[in-house]
Amino acid sequence: MISVLLVDDHALVRKGFRLMLDAQPDLTVVGEAGDGAEAVRLSAELRPDVVVMDLHMPELDGVRATELITEGLPDVRVLALSTFDLDENVVAALRAGACGFLPKDVSPEELVEGVRVVHAGEAALAPRLLTRLIGTFVRAPEPPRASARRSVRLDALTDREREILRLIARGLSNAEIAGELGVSPSTIKNHVTSLFAKIGARDRAQAVIFAYEAALISPGE
C-alpha cells in the first residue's frame, strides 16, 4: 500500500484528489495539508511514501516545502503539481528534490500512474516534455561556487557515463540507450547508478537538469 499526503490550499481540490487515489487498491491518502508549513510538519509526522504537492500556495510555497521535505526525509518522494505546463517553478521544484511534475488538471488515471511512478523512483514526467521544460528555464546565471562543484562532479564521469548522461537528457530510456550503444540494459543500469552517484542526482529529472547546466546538451537537441 502506497501512502500519500495531499498538499493544496483548496479543500475542494484535495477532496477530488482523495477520491481519485483512495479508489485504488494500492493507494491510501493518510493526510491533507493546506499550506507548505503544514505539509512539512505532516510529512515528518506521517512519513508518507509520496507527497502530492501544489506549487502555488500562500505563506510557504510548494517549492520551499519540497526542499525542506526532501532534505529532512530522503525516503519521501514529492510529486509536484502546477496549473501551468511550462512554469519556472516546476524547474525550481525539481531542483528542490521533487521527483516529477504533472499539470493540475491531470486525469484520474494520470494522477494515479504518476504517484505509482514516483514511488517506484522514476520521474513522473514524459522525458521529452521534461527536456523541453528544462531547456526553456535552466538558463539563469548561478553562483560561481555552484558552477565549480558541478565541474568537479562532471570531471569524475567516464567518457561512457557522459555519453549515457547525454542520452538520458535527450529523453531516452535505459532500454533505448542500450539499443543505441549496443550493450545490455543491465550494463546501462549499472552505468546510470554510478553516474547518478557521482553527480549527486536523485533521479532522471535531476540528471537532466545537471546535463543542461553542464552544457552537455543544448535546448532543442
Side-chain angles (χ1 to χ4, degrees), residues 82-94:
S82 173
T83 306
F84 308 103
D85 283 355
L86 291 180
D87 182 343
E88 61 271 21
N89 284 333
V90 176
V91 172
L94 294 174

Side-chain angles (χ1 to χ4, degrees), residues 9-10 54-58 61-62 81-84 87 89 104:
D9 57 334
H10 294 97
D54 181 29
L55 295 184
H56 305 282
M57 293 182 294
D61 67 19
L81 301 183
S82 173
T83 306
F84 308 103
D87 182 343
N89 284 333
K104 206 168 179 181

Side-chain angles (χ1 to χ4, degrees), residues 175-192:
E176 291 169 333
I177 294 172
E180 181 99 358
L181 300 181
V183 299
S184 69
S186 61
T187 297
I188 297 301
K189 183 178 180 181
N190 290 337
H191 281 305
V192 170

Side-chain angles (χ1 to χ4, degrees), residues 21-44:
L21 298 177
D22 276 344
Q24 303 303 310
D26 59 333
L27 304 178
T28 181
V29 175
V30 295
E32 299 180 19
D35 58 59
E38 188 178 15
V40 173
R41 180 180 63 79
L42 286 179
S43 293

Side-chain angles (χ1 to χ4, degrees), residues 17 23 30 42 49 52 56 105 115 120 125 130 139 175 188 202 207 211:
F17 286 162
V30 295
L42 286 179
D49 295 312
V52 177
H56 305 282
D105 60 354
V115 170
L125 177 63
L130 177 61
R139 297 179 184 175
I188 297 301
R202 180 172 175 172

Side-chain angles (χ1 to χ4, degrees), residues 68-116:
L68 292 172
I69 291 169
T70 57
E71 282 181 353
L73 303 166
D75 292 334
V76 176
R77 299 189 173 272
V78 176
L79 175 59
L81 301 183
S82 173
T83 306
F84 308 103
D85 283 355
L86 291 180
D87 182 343
E88 61 271 21
N89 284 333
V90 176
V91 172
L94 294 174
R95 283 179 171 147
C99 295
F101 153 71
L102 293 174
K104 206 168 179 181
D105 60 354
V106 66
S107 70
E109 295 79 14
E110 290 170 322
L111 177 64
V112 167
E113 181 62 17
V115 170
R116 289 173 178 153

